[in-house]
Amino acid sequence: MSVLRIGLDFDNTIASYDELFLRLATREGLLAPDFAGDKRAVRDAVRVGAGDGAWQLLQGRAYGREIAGAKLYDGVIPFLETACAAEHELFVVSHKTQFGHGDDVDLRHAALDWMETVGLFDAGRTGLSRDRVFFGATRDEKLARIGALGLGIFVDDLPEVLLEPTFPSATERWLFDPGGRHVDTSRLRPFQSWAALRDALAGTRVHG
Ligand SMILES: [Mg+2]
């Protein structure tokens, strides 16, 4: 079996912000204290009630100085261990500007520090290290990086990223969709958990 090169998105694929956004939005009075919902529900309600500017500020905070409140999705580490044990090569490719709105925190450093804290860079186990994490300032830069790395598989929570016309045609499009929200996935392989992603990876036959 030959080696696969596997790329992973970061925000909302490895890191879950559902609880963090809810907590920040209610704490800052942007939503009622009893509001309930995931990141998408919080986003929609904040935009309607307080405007897109308020949502942008909240994002800058969540991805920056408050990132410690993000959660590692269940099953990420076992997936990495399985991939690493099979000697596949792992990368993180993220669309992330260096700075957010209204804050001077370096969002890329914050993300890297968070990855370190949750144990992603235990390289002997996870196959990941800082030099395998790539940030692009735009979606186009991210897609160009996926192509340049020659990835066989890319995992992302956004169908619109995987379905971009410039997405590399040789890369398999694996959709991480924990809510089972996306209906039309005919050109994607959808997965509702990292356990399912791991099973698929373990069952993937590599030719070449
Ligand atoms: Mg994402």
Side-chain angles (χ1 to χ4, degrees), residues 9 11-13 156-158:
D9 173 51
D11 292 315
N12 306 296
T13 295
D156 203 296
D157 67 296
L158 292 178

Side-chain angles (χ1 to χ4, degrees), residues 58-120:
L58 205 61
Q59 276 192 298
R61 222 157 283 152
Y63 297 149
R65 67 176 72 246
E66 300 280 353
I67 197 172
K71 292 267 187 336
L72 181 65
Y73 269 107
D74 283 343
V76 172
I77 298 286
F79 175 94
L80 297 174
E81 287 173 339
T82 297
C84 187
E87 298 185 356
H88 296 317
E89 295 180 341
L90 291 156
F91 303 88
V92 173
V93 186
S94 167
H95 171 192
K96 188 182 280 297
T97 56
Q98 193 150 15
F99 298 97
H101 292 266
D103 215 337
D104 60 358
V105 175
D106 185 317
L107 303 182
R108 296 176 177 182
H109 282 169
L112 286 166
D113 288 347
W114 183 88
M115 291 182 219
E116 177 99 56
T117 301
V118 301
L120 289 189

